[in-house]
Amino acid sequence: MAVSVDEAVSAAPARDHTPPARRFGGRGRPALEVVLLTVLAVVMLFPVLWMIETSIKDNRDVYAIPAKFFDFNVTLDHFKDVFVAPDGGRSALSVSFLNSVVVAGVSTVLATVLGVPAAWAYSRFTLKAKKDQLFFILSTRFMPPVVVVIPIFLMYRQVGLIDSKLGLILIYAAFNVPFTIWMMKGFVDEVPAEYEDAAMLDGYTRLQAFWKFTLPLLVPGIAATAVFALIFSWNEFVFAIFLTSSDEVRTAPPAIAGLIGGTTVDWGLVAAASVVFALPVLVFAYLVRKHLVAGVTLGAVRR
Amino acid sequence: MSEPVPLTTDGPGQVASATPPARGRSPRLGDRGLAVAFISPALLLLLAMSVFPLLWALYLSFTDYSATRGGPANFVGFGNYTAILTSAQVHTRALTTLIYVVGAVSLQTVLGFTIAYLISRRTHGRGLLTTLFMVPMMLSPVVVGLFWRFMLDAQFGVVNSMLGSIGLEQVEWLTRQRTALVSLIVVDTWQWTPFIMLIALAGLTAVPRYLYEAASIDRASEWFRFRTITLPLVWPLLLIAVLFRAIEAFRLFDLVYILTNGGPGVSTETLSFHVYKVAFLGFNTGTASAYGILMVLVVVVLTQLYLRYLNKLKEG
């Protein structure tokens, strides 16, 4: 079972009754810990807050020296610039956001459709060298992207997939399949195989038993897994920048990175684009917070 | 596990099937076919998109092929490999990578574990705190890199502004040889400390409470409890997290690309970044492939180590 944030909360009332530590520290110690924790939280969250603040700051205040923390002019121009081009049409950034939605969405569906049945099969059947197969699958995910992209680039150039959404979808599906299999295998393991055995005694085939009895129980797990796959594809940068070049195909990460290419950088626009880009990720991550441990370790660690 | 167990007919499946269909084909016969049908599409995709490209890179690594020049690839034996392994340039990059990986991962481990320990001692608001600390980890490296680049800007960056307001000297974070690598380590630490924290917290909350209770009956000191109960029980899980981070840090590319672009000079060029330069700026595809294969070897060794510990953790 995955350790969840919620569980961590419910198990909370831990050491209320411990006698106060006698050796070192005294009553001041808990207070010191709270202060330390607060300082660390502020340090960790400051860049995020600063990014949000910059995205709504007037341009003059963005570059103010010394930096303005509170008394700045609020504007939504940067957000308008993210979506609307100077000539009034759709901006290149908004097109790239749409591309990101398509690429991340389709690749996640593909990875789920391929990964879930495989995870079920790995969980239920005794197969030759099953453990080795699973380890091999996970290790493909650990390959350095810069290295993989060299032959992929040549391969795509041969078959005409360079600078196409399909090319990106395929490579993203390929790097999400190992994750989906590992993550889903954990969920399938939690559903007793006896359910299927019982259904089969009633005359269902194995496939029907999977489809009618196990799959409905897996839906929450599939949803959580798909959300993680979606986040991974959404955030991906290396393949996107090397395999695509035109504005019509480019996804959001390389498009946002492209904003700092020129001589002057519109940091307000960069901040606004980053906020628009990061917001869905944070919302989705919050939805699957129960499975974060399993998700971020690619399904490897679960307790 | 997959064998039908004849005696367990009292599963919920029984209840749900009001009208059992006629018995299908022999389930035993179907199982093998079903397993193959369910697994092979996923494996085929991995073969096409991971294994085949790596094999192609392996082939290219023995040739002098160049992606721009085209023309036939000439076989050069181990020439590319000896060139890389004896290159002073590569040695510099390897050292940079080592400093970066060791520096970033150890900082993250210490900080992440400290935060997890502090959170685990709180009675209220643990869920909220954990959620807040998670934010940096979920952001794309592009967003993280860009934003820190803005904050570390020598002129109008907020970090220097804050240093100035408390009377400290301005630092050229990203444009000085030495500080650039430090900045890279700091940014990576900022993003990935939550990862270690999350896993350490999972380990800390899994420590059975009766152990602490027994220890407090024995009037054991807090440090003693930490050293003899907490640390040994959390360590195996923490090791997994550290190895995972080490692999990720070793293959890191995007943050370097955005934050410093390898500069100033070559002071923040990691191995990943150097491979990119050889492949996409120098267009020495053969050499870059050999370089990449060597990196893959390192990753494979690290991954084996990781999987071995993972296996031990699961069985233990």
Side-chain angles (χ1 to χ4, degrees):
Chain A
M1 208 181 153
V3 177
S4 72
V5 175
D6 284 355
E7 263 173 70
V9 183
S10 60
R15 283 170 287 283
D16 298 320
H17 48 78
T18 26
R22 292 159 299 116
R23 297 268 166 88
F24 38 84
R27 237 161 252 287
R29 216 184 122 172
L32 189 72
E33 281 181 11
V34 173
V35 170
L36 195 57
L37 208 51
T38 315
V39 169
L40 285 167
V42 168
V43 171
M44 292 303 275
L45 286 178
F46 176 75
V48 180
L49 296 177
W50 191 245
M51 177 165 84
I52 296 168
E53 204 179 302
T54 306
S55 72
I56 54 168
K57 259 187 196 171
D58 206 305
N59 248 337
R60 205 177 319 137
D61 291 336
V62 168
Y63 300 98
I65 307 171
K68 289 189 174 176
F69 290 93
F70 301 109
D71 52 341
F72 54 86
N73 294 325
V74 176
T75 172
L76 287 178
D77 283 356
H78 302 306
F79 285 98
K80 202 189 100 206
D81 291 344
V82 170
F83 295 104
V84 186
D87 59 12
R90 280 222 323 246
S91 69
L93 264 179
S94 68
V95 175
S96 76
F97 275 110
L98 218 59
N99 291 337
S100 266
V101 171
V102 172
V103 169
V106 177
S107 67
T108 298
V109 170
L110 195 58
T112 307
V113 167
L114 291 177
V116 172
W120 177 75
Y122 275 121
S123 173
R124 290 292 187 257
F125 300 128
T126 39
L127 298 161
K128 239 181 275 170
K130 179 154 83 177
K131 201 177 262 174
D132 293 333
Q133 285 188 38
L134 282 167
F135 280 177
F136 161 75
I137 287 172
L138 189 64
S139 60
T140 61
R141 175 59 206 256
F142 281 119
M143 290 302 130
V146 202
V147 175
V148 180
V149 84
I150 299 169
I152 290 277
F153 180 85
L154 298 174
M155 204 166 105
Y156 277 14
R157 210 172 57 171
Q158 289 285 333
V159 296
L161 282 174
I162 281 285
D163 201 18
S164 74
K165 280 180 211 155
L166 181 63
L168 273 190
I169 288 169
L170 283 176
I171 190 83
Y172 287 180
F175 85 60
N176 272 328
V177 157
F179 163 73
T180 307
I181 292 179
W182 269 72
M183 186 88 175
M184 281 311 301
K185 186 174 173 293
F187 286 118
V188 180
D189 286 345
E190 282 169 14
V191 177
E194 283 76 16
Y195 288 12
E196 285 159 33
D197 297 334
M200 281 162 71
L201 278 179
D202 290 343
Y204 291 101
T205 63
R206 171 75 78 173
L207 186 62
Q208 287 168 329
F210 164 68
W211 188 255
K212 287 199 172 136
F213 298 98
T214 310
L215 202 57
L217 294 173
L218 288 177
V219 167
I222 293 174
T225 308
V227 165
F228 277 108
L230 203 63
I231 292 175
F232 293 146
S233 306
W234 180 261
N235 281 346
E236 208 284 333
F237 175 69
V238 182
F239 291 116
I241 194 150
F242 288 123
L243 299 177
T244 64
S245 51
S246 64
D247 280 350
E248 299 86 69
V249 178
R250 251 191 343 181
T251 52
I256 295 173
L259 293 176
I260 58 164
T263 43
T264 55
V265 181
D266 185 351
W267 284 109
L269 179 64
V270 172
S274 301
V275 169
V276 173
F277 180 74
L279 209 62
V281 176
L282 294 181
V283 171
F284 276 124
Y286 184 75
L287 293 179
V288 292
R289 64 194 182 285
K290 279 187 184 178
H291 305 287
L292 264 181
V293 175
V296 296
T297 57
L298 307 180
V301 177
R302 43 197 315 141
R303 290 208 155 168
Chain B
M1 174 162 69
S2 63
E3 298 298 318
V5 184
L7 289 178
T8 50
T9 45
D10 49 357
Q14 171 88 357
V15 185
S17 60
T19 50
R23 213 169 197 336
R25 282 176 295 132
S26 157
R28 211 55 220 115
L29 192 75
D31 278 4
R32 180 136 306 231
L34 204 58
V36 171
F38 271 25
I39 290 172
S40 46
L43 281 185
L44 278 178
L45 184 71
L46 286 184
L47 284 179
M49 304 300 289
S50 289
V51 179
F52 174 71
L54 279 179
L55 288 177
W56 196 356
L58 187 66
Y59 156 72
L60 287 176
S61 71
F62 293 106
T63 70
D64 65 351
Y65 180 75
S66 165
T68 41
R69 196 191 60 222
N74 298 308
F75 190 70
V76 293
F78 281 93
N80 287 326
Y81 287 94
T82 47
I84 288 159
L85 289 172
T86 56
S87 153
Q89 279 193 349
V90 176
H91 295 165
T92 317
R93 277 29 165 225
L95 186 67
T96 309
T97 310
L98 190 72
I99 295 173
Y100 162 70
V101 171
V102 172
V105 174
S106 36
L107 257 177
Q108 284 155 29
T109 309
V110 172
L111 264 177
F113 187 81
T114 308
I115 297 175
Y117 186 69
L118 290 177
I119 290 183
S120 76
R121 292 170 59 86
R122 298 261 60 79
T123 42
H124 302 293
R126 292 213 289 193
L128 178 72
L129 272 171
T130 318
T131 312
L132 285 180
F133 273 110
M134 283 301 93
V135 171
M137 187 176 72
M138 303 316 297
L139 299 175
S140 168
V142 175
V143 170
V144 172
L146 281 176
F147 219 71
W148 276 92
R149 199 168 144 160
F150 174 54
M151 295 206 312
L152 293 175
D153 192 283
Q155 286 163 32
F156 47 81
V158 66
V159 175
N160 269 354
S161 178
M162 286 197 284
L163 286 181
S165 66
I166 53 169
L168 287 173
E169 232 175 280
Q170 311 277 297
V171 180
E172 287 189 41
W173 293 103
L174 299 172
T175 43
R176 277 276 167 80
Q177 300 258 351
R178 202 156 294 189
T179 47
L181 189 56
V182 174
S183 305
L184 189 65
I185 291 174
V186 166
V187 176
D188 193 75
T189 303
W190 177 76
Q191 183 170 24
W192 293 109
T193 293
F195 178 85
I196 302 270
M197 185 214 91
L198 183 67
I199 293 176
L201 194 59
L204 284 169
T205 40
V207 175
R209 205 169 318 150
Y210 65 83
L211 288 178
Y212 290 120
E213 278 156 10
S216 68
I217 289 168
D218 290 345
R219 303 193 150 247
S221 75
E222 200 133 350
W223 168 242
F224 183 82
R225 275 189 276 173
F226 179 77
R227 197 164 44 91
T228 55
I229 301 171
T230 314
L231 212 51
L233 282 170
V234 177
W235 179 242
L237 200 58
L238 199 61
L239 194 64
I240 296 281
V242 168
L243 271 172
F244 190 96
R245 276 308 306 149
I247 298 173
E248 294 265 288
F250 178 75
R251 56 187 207 133
L252 173 105
F253 170 80
D254 23 25
L255 194 62
V256 182
Y257 181 87
I258 302 263
L259 197 64
T260 63
N261 207 11
V266 294
S267 56
T268 52
E269 267 188 23
T270 58
L271 289 168
S272 275
F273 195 81
H274 198 210
V275 170
Y276 145 74
K277 274 177 90 175
V278 174
F280 289 93
L281 302 178
F283 284 105
N284 294 313
T285 315
T287 317
S289 300
Y291 206 155
I293 292 294
L294 289 172
M295 281 192 69
V296 167
L297 286 182
V298 176
V299 171
V300 164
V301 170
L302 285 173
T303 311
Q304 279 308 314
L305 211 63
Y306 169 76
L307 291 174
R308 193 165 303 169
Y309 278 116
L310 195 65
N311 212 16
K312 224 157 111 189
L313 188 75
K314 284 202 165 154
E315 277 162 11

